[in-house]
Amino acid sequence: MVPPVAFFQFLRDGIQEWAKTHAGLAVRFAHAETGDGAKQIEQVKAFIRERVDALIILPVEAAATQEITRLAQEADIPLVYVNNGPREDWFAGRVALALPNDLVAGRLQMTMLAQMLNGKGRMAIIRGPASHSASALRTQGVKEVLEDFAGITVVAEEAADWDRKRAAALVARWLAGGRKIDAIAANNDEMAMGAADALEAAKIPRDQILIGGVDGTHDGIGAMEGRRIHVTVFQDATLEGGRAVDDAVKLIRREPVQQYDWIPFELVTDKTLLRYVKS
């Protein structure tokens, strides 16, 4: 998987903790930076040589997934893609995907922002990395909703690769260039908080520009409590990691699994916020 930062730390923890519920199950991790598919393929080859019983993969580069799938199929080792993965109608062999439907996340986020804007305004979109399917799908979901709101126009759209500091720099550049923005839809909470950092640095009142995130991380929920961001969409990292582990165990036993094991998203608003605040 990618290095364990922000949401991905919670996902890693979820995998590790849920593995403890299966007697005799041990989990080892290997990390590769976003875009370094060649390194991840070599890690997969090394695990196959060591004759692991299953592979759980969060792809770091879309182009590498075909080779990863082929290697696992040829070795007859169960493969579970988690959080991100190739989209095909069917995979031969013992392959499953524990994924959220990221189109839904974008739709939920944008529907709420559109309501808060009363259907009118200037929208900016901050995308994640091109290597992660969630970036494209969440953005697609946002734009699908925008088709129903002729009064909302997209005035800026760029990638900040899930990164808070890059998002802050991006929004600061937009503001310095005189870009007029009423709302920002960020593909994750880290970038949403980066946008909030830029607005604070520019001394823009917190409710003047609406900000939406995705993931419902601890920091993202905290930012909502402080009105730094205005909506997020909760992705349950513990559930996602647990489903990936359970699917891997079933495939090891050659038991049937649902090939696409969808993880639900939940919209977080002012009215539902307390449900997600950790004591």
Side-chain angles (χ1 to χ4, degrees), residues 109-258:
Q109 179 198 63
M110 190 62 239
T111 298
M112 191 65 203
L113 287 173
Q115 291 175 3
M116 297 173 76
L117 288 168
N118 294 316
K120 296 180 181 179
R122 295 156 294 195
M123 172 69 55
I125 299 172
I126 306 178
R127 302 189 310 269
S131 60
H132 199 300
S133 62
S135 175
L137 290 169
R138 291 175 187 180
T139 301
Q140 181 182 335
V142 166
K143 291 181 176 180
E144 286 178 353
V145 172
L146 285 174
E147 290 177 1
D148 294 328
F149 291 91
I152 301 176
T153 57
V154 176
V155 297
E157 178 183 344
E158 288 188 50
D161 296 344
W162 304 140
D163 188 81
R164 181 169 178 166
K165 289 183 178 179
R166 291 184 187 179
L170 175 59
V171 173
R173 176 160 53 80
W174 286 341
L175 297 174
R179 197 73 56 92
K180 301 298 183 184
I181 299 170
D182 298 305
I184 298 171
N187 281 168
N188 77 339
D189 285 348
E190 284 294 298
M191 297 188 298
M193 289 186 290
D197 293 341
L199 299 187
E200 287 185 4
K203 302 190 184 311
I204 294 174
R206 289 192 174 182
D207 289 331
Q208 183 172 317
I209 299 177
L210 302 176
I211 303 174
V214 178
D215 285 336
T217 62
H218 297 166
D219 288 345
I221 295 299
M224 277 197 65
E225 285 189 280
R227 297 294 296 175
R228 300 187 72 242
I229 68 176
H230 301 84
V231 63
T232 187
V233 185
F234 178 67
Q235 180 180 187
D236 192 332
T238 300
L239 176 63
E240 197 168 299
R243 290 267 192 91
V245 171
D246 285 347
D247 288 344
V249 169
K250 288 177 182 177
L251 290 172
I252 290 169
R253 297 170 179 166
R254 297 187 181 273
E255 297 174 2
V257 301
Q258 180 175 306

Side-chain angles (χ1 to χ4, degrees), residues 99-111:
L99 306 172
N101 188 336
D102 289 292
L103 268 175
V104 172
R107 291 168 181 165
L108 288 171
Q109 179 198 63
M110 190 62 239
T111 298

